[in-house]
Amino acid sequence: MRLWLAHYWLYIKAHKEMEEGGSQLVLQTAPFDARFPYTNQTKNCWQNFVDFHRCSKKLGEEHESCKYFKRVYTSLCPKGWVDNWNDQVEAGTFPGRI
Amino acid sequence: MLNNFFYIVNVCGKKDIPESWHLGFQEAAAPVMEEIVFFHDQIMFLLVIIVIVVLWLLVEALNGKYYDRDLIDGTLLEIVWTLIPAVILVFIASPSLKLLYLMDEVVSPALTIKAIGHQWYWSYEYSDYQEETLEFDSYMVPTSDLNSGDFRLLEVDNRLVVPINTHVRILVTGADVLHSFAVPALGIKTDAVPGRLNQAGIFIKRPGTFYGQCSEICGANHSFMPIVIEAVSLDRYINWMLSLSNE
């Protein structure tokens, strides 16, 4: 526990230094998701991809919630998978329920 | 003579690269690897005690000094020789389980990197920042192209750049067959399975260059797809990322 607290402190310190330096790059990535706590993250990537498409169907791609799903699946899914799924969505052969 | 001395010092000393007759671990660069080394040392301590006690008992038994022709069973003796190994096993199992769950932990990461195993090279993707994913392939440098001081079969053309003191999530998958993403100094070894994303967390404590190799037999050139991680400060990482984004 103490070990991880020490690391967390280092992490916060590094981020603070970066913020003070006025960096143009914001370090952010898909956060921990309690639905997918295991080593296997395949479903995490898939679910966020499907959620993005459901969301954009309902609210439009530019909606803030949909942008979040897109950011998460872009961070998690390999580009090859996303390209393949996008082709399937376009062709109407995507196996997920959108 | 002096050369031999330095060779022995090198072999026994810890470092970030594997060498011939390198019997110990590489220098730990991540907390998980430090814990693995502690665990190994603890087990070695128990192992030495067990070996000495067993050898002593064997020698005593063969000596025949304590021979007792009337001894048929001994309840107390049996309880003792059952309980002692059980307690020793508990002392091994409990830190082992602690370590197992520690290795599974991915503390809220600041960065996600995807490592994809191909026959026979690794490709990496950074897709946290911009619309376009930054992706590149990492091939081994053939022996004929090595510079002086390079490590044969370990150098690659494009290294994976990772910031230090940052929680990083590595997602590993395979594009064709099974591979395994392993870097001993960081204490990670994750199977790259086609169609599945495996997650591993790393936290590098110091700058350096860390070498690893594919650790799942994946075909003819399995031995020739090394992994090189360049750990740099967060500033340098950001500058590197910005310079690539501006290109």
Side-chain angles (χ1 to χ4, degrees), chain A residues 3-4 7-8 10-11 14-15 18 23-32 38-42 45 74-79 81, chain B residues 31 35 102 104 107-112 114 125 127-129 133 135 165 167 169 171 173 195-199 203 234 238 241-242:
Chain A
L3 193 75
W4 287 112
H7 297 156
Y8 200 68
L10 279 174
Y11 170 60
H15 278 242
M18 196 185 68
S23 166
Q24 305 166 38
L25 200 91
V26 183
L27 280 186
Q28 58 165 27
T29 189
F32 171 76
Y38 306 112
T39 303
N40 186 358
Q41 291 293 305
T42 321
C45 141
T74 312
S75 280
L76 295 179
C77 306
K79 192 165 173 283
W81 293 16
Chain B
E35 294 288 322
L102 183 77
D104 265 354
V107 182
S108 59
L111 164 72
T112 303
K114 283 162 271 181
E125 293 181 7
S127 27
D128 285 341
Y129 312 115
T133 296
E135 52 178 331
N165 292 337
H167 288 290
R169 175 200 280 134
L171 290 168
T173 186
R196 175 178 162 133
L197 278 177
N198 277 333
Q199 172 179 259
F203 182 95
L234 199 54
I238 289 167
M241 188 52 78
L242 289 173

Short mmCIF file of all heavy atoms in Angstrom, two decimals, chain A residues 3-4 7-8 10-11 14-15 18 23-32 38-42 45 74-79 81, chain B residues 31 35 102 104 107-112 114 125 127-129 133 135 165 167 169 171 173 195-199 203 234 238 241-242:
data_model
loop_
_atom_site.label_atom_id
_atom_site.label_comp_id
_atom_site.label_asym_id
_atom_site.label_seq_id
_atom_site.Cartn_x
_atom_site.Cartn_y
_atom_site.Cartn_z
N LEU A 3 3.87 1.44 -0.87
CA LEU A 3 4.61 1.45 -2.13
C LEU A 3 3.80 2.19 -3.20
O LEU A 3 4.31 3.08 -3.89
CB LEU A 3 4.82 0.00 -2.56
CG LEU A 3 5.82 -0.26 -3.66
CD1 LEU A 3 7.21 -0.09 -3.09
CD2 LEU A 3 5.65 -1.67 -4.18
N TRP A 4 2.52 1.84 -3.29
CA TRP A 4 1.71 2.44 -4.35
C TRP A 4 1.41 3.91 -4.07
O TRP A 4 1.34 4.71 -4.98
CB TRP A 4 0.41 1.65 -4.53
CG TRP A 4 0.69 0.35 -5.20
CD1 TRP A 4 0.59 -0.89 -4.65
CD2 TRP A 4 1.18 0.15 -6.53
NE1 TRP A 4 0.97 -1.84 -5.55
CE2 TRP A 4 1.34 -1.23 -6.71
CE3 TRP A 4 1.50 1.02 -7.57
CZ2 TRP A 4 1.79 -1.78 -7.90
CZ3 TRP A 4 1.96 0.47 -8.76
CH2 TRP A 4 2.10 -0.90 -8.91
N HIS A 7 4.25 5.86 -5.28
CA HIS A 7 4.25 5.99 -6.73
C HIS A 7 3.21 7.01 -7.19
O HIS A 7 3.42 7.76 -8.12
CB HIS A 7 3.93 4.64 -7.37
CG HIS A 7 4.97 3.64 -7.04
ND1 HIS A 7 4.75 2.31 -7.06
CD2 HIS A 7 6.25 3.81 -6.67
CE1 HIS A 7 5.86 1.69 -6.70
NE2 HIS A 7 6.76 2.58 -6.45
N TYR A 8 2.08 6.99 -6.48
CA TYR A 8 1.03 7.93 -6.84
C TYR A 8 1.51 9.35 -6.64
O TYR A 8 1.27 10.23 -7.45
CB TYR A 8 -0.22 7.64 -5.98
CG TYR A 8 -1.46 8.20 -6.61
CD1 TYR A 8 -1.95 7.67 -7.79
CD2 TYR A 8 -2.10 9.29 -6.05
CE1 TYR A 8 -3.06 8.20 -8.40
CE2 TYR A 8 -3.22 9.82 -6.64
CZ TYR A 8 -3.70 9.28 -7.81
OH TYR A 8 -4.79 9.81 -8.41
N LEU A 10 4.61 10.37 -6.81
CA LEU A 10 5.56 10.67 -7.90
C LEU A 10 4.80 11.07 -9.17
O LEU A 10 5.17 11.99 -9.88
CB LEU A 10 6.41 9.44 -8.21
CG LEU A 10 7.59 9.19 -7.30
CD1 LEU A 10 8.23 7.87 -7.66
CD2 LEU A 10 8.61 10.31 -7.46
N TYR A 11 3.73 10.34 -9.42
CA TYR A 11 2.90 10.56 -10.60
C TYR A 11 2.28 11.96 -10.57
O TYR A 11 2.34 12.72 -11.54
CB TYR A 11 1.83 9.46 -10.61
CG TYR A 11 0.72 9.61 -11.60
CD1 TYR A 11 0.99 9.66 -12.96
CD2 TYR A 11 -0.60 9.65 -11.18
CE1 TYR A 11 -0.04 9.76 -13.86
CE2 TYR A 11 -1.63 9.75 -12.08
CZ TYR A 11 -1.34 9.82 -13.42
OH TYR A 11 -2.35 9.93 -14.32
N ALA A 14 4.97 14.60 -11.12
CA ALA A 14 5.36 14.71 -12.53
C ALA A 14 4.32 15.50 -13.31
O ALA A 14 4.65 16.34 -14.15
CB ALA A 14 5.53 13.32 -13.11
N HIS A 15 3.06 15.25 -13.02
CA HIS A 15 1.99 15.94 -13.74
C HIS A 15 1.96 17.42 -13.42
O HIS A 15 1.74 18.26 -14.28
CB HIS A 15 0.64 15.31 -13.39
CG HIS A 15 0.40 14.09 -14.21
ND1 HIS A 15 -0.62 13.97 -15.08
CD2 HIS A 15 1.12 12.96 -14.30
CE1 HIS A 15 -0.55 12.79 -15.67
NE2 HIS A 15 0.50 12.16 -15.20
N MET A 18 4.57 19.17 -15.23
CA MET A 18 4.22 19.33 -16.64
C MET A 18 3.23 20.49 -16.82
O MET A 18 3.35 21.30 -17.72
CB MET A 18 3.61 18.04 -17.15
CG MET A 18 3.56 17.93 -18.63
SD MET A 18 2.70 16.45 -19.05
CE MET A 18 1.07 16.85 -18.50
N SER A 23 2.62 22.64 -20.85
CA SER A 23 2.73 21.73 -21.98
C SER A 23 1.48 21.76 -22.86
O SER A 23 0.37 21.99 -22.38
CB SER A 23 2.95 20.33 -21.44
OG SER A 23 2.76 19.40 -22.45
N GLN A 24 1.66 21.51 -24.15
CA GLN A 24 0.52 21.51 -25.08
C GLN A 24 -0.19 20.16 -25.08
O GLN A 24 -1.25 20.02 -25.65
CB GLN A 24 1.00 21.77 -26.50
CG GLN A 24 1.80 23.01 -26.67
CD GLN A 24 2.51 22.99 -28.01
OE1 GLN A 24 1.96 22.54 -29.00
NE2 GLN A 24 3.72 23.49 -28.03
N LEU A 25 0.46 19.18 -24.46
CA LEU A 25 -0.07 17.83 -24.54
C LEU A 25 -0.69 17.44 -23.20
O LEU A 25 -0.06 17.55 -22.17
CB LEU A 25 1.09 16.89 -24.84
CG LEU A 25 0.72 15.56 -25.42
CD1 LEU A 25 0.71 15.61 -26.92
CD2 LEU A 25 1.74 14.53 -24.96
N VAL A 26 -1.95 17.03 -23.22
CA VAL A 26 -2.59 16.61 -21.97
C VAL A 26 -2.51 15.10 -21.89
O VAL A 26 -2.95 14.39 -22.79
CB VAL A 26 -4.06 17.06 -21.93
CG1 VAL A 26 -4.69 16.69 -20.60
CG2 VAL A 26 -4.16 18.56 -22.17
N LEU A 27 -1.91 14.63 -20.80
CA LEU A 27 -1.80 13.18 -20.63
C LEU A 27 -3.12 12.63 -20.16
O LEU A 27 -3.50 12.81 -19.00
CB LEU A 27 -0.73 12.86 -19.59
CG LEU A 27 0.72 12.91 -20.02
CD1 LEU A 27 1.61 12.42 -18.90
CD2 LEU A 27 0.95 12.04 -21.25
N GLN A 28 -3.87 12.03 -21.03
CA GLN A 28 -5.12 11.41 -20.61
C GLN A 28 -5.36 10.16 -21.45
O GLN A 28 -4.97 10.09 -22.61
CB GLN A 28 -6.28 12.38 -20.78
CG GLN A 28 -6.46 12.89 -22.20
CD GLN A 28 -7.81 13.55 -22.39
OE1 GLN A 28 -8.37 14.06 -21.44
NE2 GLN A 28 -8.30 13.54 -23.60
N THR A 29 -5.97 9.20 -20.81
CA THR A 29 -6.26 7.96 -21.53
C THR A 29 -7.55 7.36 -20.96
O THR A 29 -8.13 7.93 -20.03
CB THR A 29 -5.08 6.98 -21.42
OG1 THR A 29 -5.30 5.89 -22.28
CG2 THR A 29 -4.90 6.46 -19.99
N ALA A 30 -7.97 6.26 -21.51
CA ALA A 30 -9.20 5.61 -21.02
C ALA A 30 -9.03 5.29 -19.54
O ALA A 30 -8.07 4.62 -19.17
CB ALA A 30 -9.43 4.33 -21.81
N PRO A 31 -9.95 5.76 -18.68
CA PRO A 31 -9.79 5.49 -17.25
C PRO A 31 -10.14 4.05 -16.91
O PRO A 31 -10.68 3.32 -17.74
CB PRO A 31 -10.77 6.46 -16.60
CG PRO A 31 -11.80 6.70 -17.64
CD PRO A 31 -11.14 6.55 -18.97
N PHE A 32 -9.85 3.67 -15.66
CA PHE A 32 -10.23 2.35 -15.17
C PHE A 32 -11.75 2.20 -15.26
O PHE A 32 -12.48 3.13 -14.92
CB PHE A 32 -9.76 2.19 -13.73
CG PHE A 32 -10.29 0.95 -13.06
CD1 PHE A 32 -9.74 -0.29 -13.34
CD2 PHE A 32 -11.34 1.03 -12.15
CE1 PHE A 32 -10.22 -1.43 -12.73
CE2 PHE A 32 -11.83 -0.12 -11.54
CZ PHE A 32 -11.27 -1.34 -11.83
N TYR A 38 -10.34 -6.99 -15.34
CA TYR A 38 -9.41 -8.11 -15.55
C TYR A 38 -8.34 -7.79 -16.58
O TYR A 38 -8.36 -6.74 -17.22
CB TYR A 38 -10.19 -9.36 -15.96
CG TYR A 38 -11.28 -9.69 -14.98
CD1 TYR A 38 -12.62 -9.57 -15.34
CD2 TYR A 38 -10.97 -10.07 -13.68
CE1 TYR A 38 -13.63 -9.84 -14.42
CE2 TYR A 38 -11.97 -10.35 -12.76
CZ TYR A 38 -13.29 -10.23 -13.13
OH TYR A 38 -14.26 -10.49 -12.23
N THR A 39 -7.43 -8.74 -16.74
CA THR A 39 -6.35 -8.58 -17.73
C THR A 39 -6.94 -8.47 -19.14
O THR A 39 -6.45 -7.71 -19.97
CB THR A 39 -5.41 -9.81 -17.65
OG1 THR A 39 -4.92 -9.90 -16.32
CG2 THR A 39 -4.25 -9.66 -18.60
N ASN A 40 -7.99 -9.24 -19.38
CA ASN A 40 -8.60 -9.25 -20.71
C ASN A 40 -9.43 -7.98 -20.92
O ASN A 40 -10.46 -7.79 -20.29
CB ASN A 40 -9.48 -10.49 -20.84
CG ASN A 40 -10.02 -10.65 -22.25
OD1 ASN A 40 -9.77 -9.82 -23.12
ND2 ASN A 40 -10.75 -11.72 -22.48
N GLN A 41 -8.99 -7.12 -21.84
CA GLN A 41 -9.67 -5.85 -22.08
C GLN A 41 -10.41 -5.83 -23.41
O GLN A 41 -10.87 -4.79 -23.86
CB GLN A 41 -8.64 -4.71 -22.06
CG GLN A 41 -8.05 -4.44 -20.69
CD GLN A 41 -9.08 -3.90 -19.72
OE1 GLN A 41 -9.73 -2.90 -19.99
NE2 GLN A 41 -9.25 -4.56 -18.58
N THR A 42 -10.54 -6.99 -24.04
CA THR A 42 -11.19 -7.05 -25.36
C THR A 42 -12.59 -6.47 -25.32
O THR A 42 -12.98 -5.66 -26.16
CB THR A 42 -11.25 -8.51 -25.84
OG1 THR A 42 -10.04 -9.17 -25.49
CG2 THR A 42 -11.45 -8.60 -27.33
N CYS A 45 -12.86 -2.60 -25.06
CA CYS A 45 -12.69 -1.94 -26.36
C CYS A 45 -13.98 -2.07 -27.18
O CYS A 45 -14.53 -1.09 -27.69
CB CYS A 45 -11.48 -2.54 -27.08
SG CYS A 45 -11.62 -2.77 -28.85
N THR A 74 -10.76 4.61 -29.03
CA THR A 74 -9.54 4.90 -29.81
C THR A 74 -8.30 4.56 -28.99
O THR A 74 -7.32 4.04 -29.52
CB THR A 74 -9.50 6.39 -30.22
OG1 THR A 74 -10.76 6.74 -30.76
CG2 THR A 74 -8.41 6.67 -31.23
N SER A 75 -8.35 4.85 -27.69
CA SER A 75 -7.21 4.55 -26.83
C SER A 75 -7.01 3.05 -26.67
O SER A 75 -5.88 2.57 -26.59
CB SER A 75 -7.40 5.16 -25.43
OG SER A 75 -7.07 6.50 -25.45
N LEU A 76 -8.12 2.32 -26.59
CA LEU A 76 -8.01 0.89 -26.25
C LEU A 76 -7.88 -0.04 -27.46
O LEU A 76 -7.14 -1.02 -27.40
CB LEU A 76 -9.23 0.46 -25.43
CG LEU A 76 -9.39 1.10 -24.04
CD1 LEU A 76 -10.65 0.57 -23.37
CD2 LEU A 76 -8.19 0.82 -23.16
N CYS A 77 -8.63 0.24 -28.53
CA CYS A 77 -8.66 -0.73 -29.62
C CYS A 77 -7.48 -0.53 -30.59
O CYS A 77 -7.15 0.60 -30.93
CB CYS A 77 -9.95 -0.60 -30.42
SG CYS A 77 -11.42 -0.69 -29.44
N PRO A 78 -6.89 -1.62 -31.05
CA PRO A 78 -5.88 -1.50 -32.11
C PRO A 78 -6.51 -0.91 -33.37
O PRO A 78 -7.69 -1.16 -33.66
CB PRO A 78 -5.45 -2.95 -32.36
CG PRO A 78 -5.83 -3.68 -31.12
CD PRO A 78 -7.04 -3.00 -30.60
N LYS A 79 -5.72 -0.11 -34.09
CA LYS A 79 -6.26 0.61 -35.25
C LYS A 79 -6.83 -0.35 -36.30
O LYS A 79 -7.86 -0.07 -36.91
CB LYS A 79 -5.15 1.47 -35.86
CG LYS A 79 -5.63 2.46 -36.87
CD LYS A 79 -4.58 3.51 -37.16
CE LYS A 79 -5.02 4.40 -38.30
NZ LYS A 79 -4.86 3.75 -39.60
N TRP A 81 -8.33 -3.15 -35.87
CA TRP A 81 -9.67 -3.62 -35.47
C TRP A 81 -10.71 -2.55 -35.81
O TRP A 81 -11.77 -2.84 -36.37
CB TRP A 81 -9.74 -3.89 -33.97
CG TRP A 81 -8.91 -5.03 -33.46
CD1 TRP A 81 -7.88 -5.67 -34.12
CD2 TRP A 81 -9.02 -5.66 -32.19
NE1 TRP A 81 -7.35 -6.64 -33.32
CE2 TRP A 81 -8.03 -6.66 -32.14
CE3 TRP A 81 -9.85 -5.48 -31.08
CZ2 TRP A 81 -7.85 -7.48 -31.02
CZ3 TRP A 81 -9.68 -6.29 -29.97
CH2 TRP A 81 -8.69 -7.28 -29.95
N PRO B 31 8.74 -1.28 -9.84
CA PRO B 31 8.43 -1.82 -8.52
C PRO B 31 8.03 -3.29 -8.54
O PRO B 31 8.41 -4.04 -7.64
CB PRO B 31 7.27 -0.97 -8.03
CG PRO B 31 7.15 0.16 -8.95
CD PRO B 31 7.94 -0.09 -10.15
N GLU B 35 9.77 -6.41 -6.45
CA GLU B 35 9.04 -7.37 -5.61
C GLU B 35 9.35 -8.80 -6.03
O GLU B 35 9.47 -9.69 -5.19
CB GLU B 35 7.53 -7.12 -5.70
CG GLU B 35 7.08 -5.80 -5.11
CD GLU B 35 7.15 -5.78 -3.59
OE1 GLU B 35 6.83 -6.80 -2.98
OE2 GLU B 35 7.53 -4.73 -3.03
N LEU B 102 -0.62 -8.05 -7.22
CA LEU B 102 0.07 -6.77 -7.47
C LEU B 102 0.37 -6.61 -8.96
O LEU B 102 0.24 -5.54 -9.54
CB LEU B 102 1.37 -6.72 -6.67
CG LEU B 102 2.16 -5.43 -6.76
CD1 LEU B 102 1.52 -4.36 -5.88
CD2 LEU B 102 3.60 -5.63 -6.32
N ASP B 104 -1.31 -7.82 -11.39
CA ASP B 104 -2.54 -7.64 -12.16
C ASP B 104 -3.05 -6.20 -12.11
O ASP B 104 -3.85 -5.79 -12.93
CB ASP B 104 -3.64 -8.54 -11.59
CG ASP B 104 -3.72 -9.86 -12.34
OD1 ASP B 104 -3.01 -9.97 -13.34
OD2 ASP B 104 -4.49 -10.74 -11.92
N VAL B 107 -2.83 0.65 -12.05
CA VAL B 107 -3.23 1.86 -11.31
C VAL B 107 -3.54 2.96 -12.32
O VAL B 107 -2.79 3.17 -13.25
CB VAL B 107 -2.09 2.31 -10.38
CG1 VAL B 107 -2.52 3.52 -9.57
CG2 VAL B 107 -1.70 1.16 -9.47
N SER B 108 -4.63 3.68 -12.09
CA SER B 108 -5.15 4.65 -13.07
C SER B 108 -4.07 5.19 -14.01
O SER B 108 -3.29 6.05 -13.62
CB SER B 108 -5.85 5.80 -12.34
OG SER B 108 -4.93 6.41 -11.49
N PRO B 109 -4.03 4.68 -15.22
CA PRO B 109 -2.92 5.00 -16.11
C PRO B 109 -3.04 6.39 -16.75
O PRO B 109 -4.15 6.90 -16.90
CB PRO B 109 -3.01 3.92 -17.19
CG PRO B 109 -4.40 3.45 -17.16
CD PRO B 109 -4.97 3.73 -15.82
N ALA B 110 -1.89 6.96 -17.08
CA ALA B 110 -1.88 8.27 -17.74
C ALA B 110 -1.70 8.11 -19.24
O ALA B 110 -1.78 9.07 -19.99
CB ALA B 110 -0.75 9.11 -17.17
N LEU B 111 -1.45 6.89 -19.64
CA LEU B 111 -1.05 6.68 -21.03
C LEU B 111 -1.32 5.22 -21.40
O LEU B 111 -1.11 4.33 -20.60
CB LEU B 111 0.46 7.00 -21.09
CG LEU B 111 1.33 6.57 -22.22
CD1 LEU B 111 0.97 7.40 -23.44
CD2 LEU B 111 2.78 6.84 -21.86
N THR B 112 -1.82 5.02 -22.61
CA THR B 112 -2.03 3.65 -23.09
C THR B 112 -1.18 3.43 -24.35
O THR B 112 -1.20 4.26 -25.25
CB THR B 112 -3.51 3.41 -23.44
OG1 THR B 112 -4.30 3.69 -22.29
CG2 THR B 112 -3.76 1.98 -23.86
N LYS B 114 -0.26 0.46 -27.29
CA LYS B 114 -0.64 -0.86 -27.79
C LYS B 114 0.56 -1.52 -28.46
O LYS B 114 1.25 -0.88 -29.26
CB LYS B 114 -1.80 -0.73 -28.79
CG LYS B 114 -3.12 -0.49 -28.10
CD LYS B 114 -4.17 0.07 -29.01
CE LYS B 114 -4.13 1.57 -29.01
NZ LYS B 114 -5.14 2.18 -29.86
N GLU B 125 1.36 1.35 -31.10
CA GLU B 125 0.39 2.42 -31.40
C GLU B 125 0.20 3.30 -30.18
O GLU B 125 0.01 2.81 -29.06
CB GLU B 125 -0.97 1.80 -31.77
CG GLU B 125 -0.96 1.04 -33.07
CD GLU B 125 -2.34 0.46 -33.43
OE1 GLU B 125 -3.33 0.76 -32.74
OE2 GLU B 125 -2.39 -0.30 -34.41
N SER B 127 -2.48 6.15 -29.25
CA SER B 127 -3.65 6.82 -29.82
C SER B 127 -4.43 7.64 -28.79
O SER B 127 -5.61 7.77 -28.87
CB SER B 127 -4.56 5.81 -30.51
OG SER B 127 -4.43 4.54 -29.96
N ASP B 128 -3.71 8.18 -27.80
CA ASP B 128 -4.40 8.96 -26.76
C ASP B 128 -4.59 10.41 -27.15
O ASP B 128 -5.44 11.09 -26.59
CB ASP B 128 -3.59 8.93 -25.46
CG ASP B 128 -3.71 7.59 -24.75
OD1 ASP B 128 -4.67 6.86 -25.05
OD2 ASP B 128 -2.85 7.29 -23.92
N TYR B 129 -3.79 10.93 -28.06
CA TYR B 129 -3.71 12.38 -28.19
C TYR B 129 -4.42 12.97 -29.40
O TYR B 129 -5.21 13.86 -29.29
CB TYR B 129 -2.25 12.82 -28.19
CG TYR B 129 -1.48 12.20 -27.08
CD1 TYR B 129 -0.45 11.30 -27.32
CD2 TYR B 129 -1.83 12.46 -25.75
CE1 TYR B 129 0.22 10.71 -26.27
CE2 TYR B 129 -1.17 11.86 -24.70
CZ TYR B 129 -0.13 10.99 -24.97
OH TYR B 129 0.52 10.39 -23.94
N THR B 133 -3.82 8.04 -35.19
CA THR B 133 -3.01 7.22 -34.28
C THR B 133 -1.55 7.25 -34.73
O THR B 133 -1.26 7.13 -35.91
CB THR B 133 -3.52 5.76 -34.33
OG1 THR B 133 -4.84 5.74 -33.82
CG2 THR B 133 -2.66 4.84 -33.51
N GLU B 135 1.54 5.33 -35.15
CA GLU B 135 1.90 3.90 -35.18
C GLU B 135 3.18 3.69 -35.95
O GLU B 135 3.46 4.42 -36.90
CB GLU B 135 0.76 3.07 -35.79
CG GLU B 135 0.29 3.55 -37.13
CD GLU B 135 -0.81 2.67 -37.71
OE1 GLU B 135 -0.84 1.47 -37.41
OE2 GLU B 135 -1.64 3.19 -38.47
N ASN B 165 8.28 7.37 -14.17
CA ASN B 165 7.42 7.85 -13.07
C ASN B 165 5.99 8.10 -13.50
O ASN B 165 5.35 9.04 -13.04
CB ASN B 165 8.00 9.13 -12.44
CG ASN B 165 9.29 8.85 -11.71
OD1 ASN B 165 9.52 7.72 -11.31
ND2 ASN B 165 10.11 9.85 -11.55
N HIS B 167 2.29 5.97 -14.65
CA HIS B 167 1.61 4.68 -14.80
C HIS B 167 1.20 4.51 -16.25
O HIS B 167 0.47 5.34 -16.79
CB HIS B 167 0.38 4.61 -13.89
CG HIS B 167 0.73 4.49 -12.45
ND1 HIS B 167 1.28 3.34 -11.93
CD2 HIS B 167 0.65 5.37 -11.42
CE1 HIS B 167 1.50 3.52 -10.64
NE2 HIS B 167 1.13 4.74 -10.30
N ARG B 169 -0.36 1.93 -19.27
CA ARG B 169 -1.10 0.71 -19.56
C ARG B 169 -0.60 0.19 -20.91
O ARG B 169 -0.56 0.94 -21.89
CB ARG B 169 -2.59 1.03 -19.64
CG ARG B 169 -3.45 -0.17 -20.05
CD ARG B 169 -4.80 0.28 -20.57
NE ARG B 169 -5.75 0.61 -19.52
CZ ARG B 169 -6.50 1.72 -19.54
NH1 ARG B 169 -6.38 2.59 -20.52
NH2 ARG B 169 -7.37 1.95 -18.57
N LEU B 171 -1.34 -2.54 -23.79
CA LEU B 171 -2.31 -3.51 -24.29
C LEU B 171 -1.62 -4.34 -25.36
O LEU B 171 -1.07 -3.80 -26.32
CB LEU B 171 -3.52 -2.78 -24.87
CG LEU B 171 -4.40 -2.07 -23.84
CD1 LEU B 171 -5.39 -1.16 -24.54
CD2 LEU B 171 -5.14 -3.06 -22.98
N THR B 173 -1.59 -7.47 -28.13
CA THR B 173 -2.37 -8.39 -28.95
C THR B 173 -1.50 -8.91 -30.09
O THR B 173 -0.40 -8.42 -30.31
CB THR B 173 -3.65 -7.71 -29.48
OG1 THR B 173 -4.46 -8.67 -30.15
CG2 THR B 173 -3.34 -6.58 -30.44
N GLY B 195 -6.99 -11.45 -31.61
CA GLY B 195 -8.39 -11.31 -31.26
C GLY B 195 -8.65 -11.03 -29.80
O GLY B 195 -9.79 -10.94 -29.37
N ARG B 196 -7.61 -10.89 -29.01
CA ARG B 196 -7.77 -10.62 -27.58
C ARG B 196 -6.81 -9.51 -27.17
O ARG B 196 -5.69 -9.45 -27.68
CB ARG B 196 -7.49 -11.89 -26.80
CG ARG B 196 -7.49 -11.72 -25.30
CD ARG B 196 -7.25 -13.06 -24.61
NE ARG B 196 -6.85 -12.80 -23.22
CZ ARG B 196 -7.37 -13.43 -22.16
NH1 ARG B 196 -8.28 -14.34 -22.31
NH2 ARG B 196 -6.96 -13.13 -20.96
N LEU B 197 -7.26 -8.63 -26.27
CA LEU B 197 -6.41 -7.54 -25.77
C LEU B 197 -6.01 -7.85 -24.34
O LEU B 197 -6.86 -7.90 -23.47
CB LEU B 197 -7.19 -6.22 -25.76
CG LEU B 197 -7.32 -5.43 -27.04
CD1 LEU B 197 -8.19 -4.21 -26.77
CD2 LEU B 197 -5.97 -4.98 -27.54
N ASN B 198 -4.74 -8.07 -24.10
CA ASN B 198 -4.28 -8.32 -22.73
C ASN B 198 -3.64 -7.07 -22.17
O ASN B 198 -2.84 -6.41 -22.84
CB ASN B 198 -3.27 -9.47 -22.71
CG ASN B 198 -3.95 -10.80 -22.69
OD1 ASN B 198 -5.08 -10.93 -22.21
ND2 ASN B 198 -3.28 -11.82 -23.20
N GLN B 199 -3.99 -6.77 -20.92
CA GLN B 199 -3.52 -5.53 -20.32
C GLN B 199 -2.39 -5.79 -19.33
O GLN B 199 -2.43 -6.77 -18.60
CB GLN B 199 -4.72 -4.92 -19.58
CG GLN B 199 -4.42 -3.73 -18.73
CD GLN B 199 -5.68 -3.20 -18.08
OE1 GLN B 199 -6.25 -2.21 -18.52
NE2 GLN B 199 -6.13 -3.86 -17.03
N PHE B 203 5.37 0.78 -14.53
CA PHE B 203 5.74 2.04 -13.89
C PHE B 203 7.26 2.00 -13.82
O PHE B 203 7.83 1.24 -13.03
CB PHE B 203 5.11 2.10 -12.50
CG PHE B 203 5.41 3.38 -11.76
CD1 PHE B 203 4.50 4.43 -11.80
CD2 PHE B 203 6.58 3.54 -11.03
CE1 PHE B 203 4.76 5.61 -11.11
CE2 PHE B 203 6.84 4.71 -10.35
CZ PHE B 203 5.94 5.75 -10.39
N LEU B 234 9.35 12.64 -18.38
CA LEU B 234 8.05 13.01 -18.94
C LEU B 234 8.20 14.16 -19.96
O LEU B 234 7.58 14.15 -21.02
CB LEU B 234 7.12 13.41 -17.79
CG LEU B 234 5.63 13.39 -18.08
CD1 LEU B 234 5.19 12.05 -18.62
CD2 LEU B 234 4.85 13.73 -16.83
N ILE B 238 7.10 14.08 -23.86
CA ILE B 238 6.13 15.01 -24.45
C ILE B 238 6.74 15.71 -25.66
O ILE B 238 6.10 15.85 -26.70
CB ILE B 238 5.66 16.01 -23.37
CG1 ILE B 238 4.76 15.26 -22.38
CG2 ILE B 238 4.91 17.18 -23.99
CD1 ILE B 238 4.47 16.00 -21.12
N MET B 241 6.74 13.32 -28.50
CA MET B 241 5.39 13.14 -29.04
C MET B 241 4.98 14.36 -29.86
O MET B 241 4.43 14.23 -30.96
CB MET B 241 4.44 12.90 -27.86
CG MET B 241 3.04 12.52 -28.20
SD MET B 241 2.89 11.14 -29.32
CE MET B 241 3.20 9.77 -28.26
N LEU B 242 5.28 15.56 -29.34
CA LEU B 242 4.91 16.78 -30.06
C LEU B 242 5.66 16.89 -31.38
O LEU B 242 5.10 17.28 -32.40
CB LEU B 242 5.18 18.03 -29.20
CG LEU B 242 4.24 18.22 -28.00
CD1 LEU B 242 4.70 19.38 -27.14
CD2 LEU B 242 2.80 18.45 -28.48
#
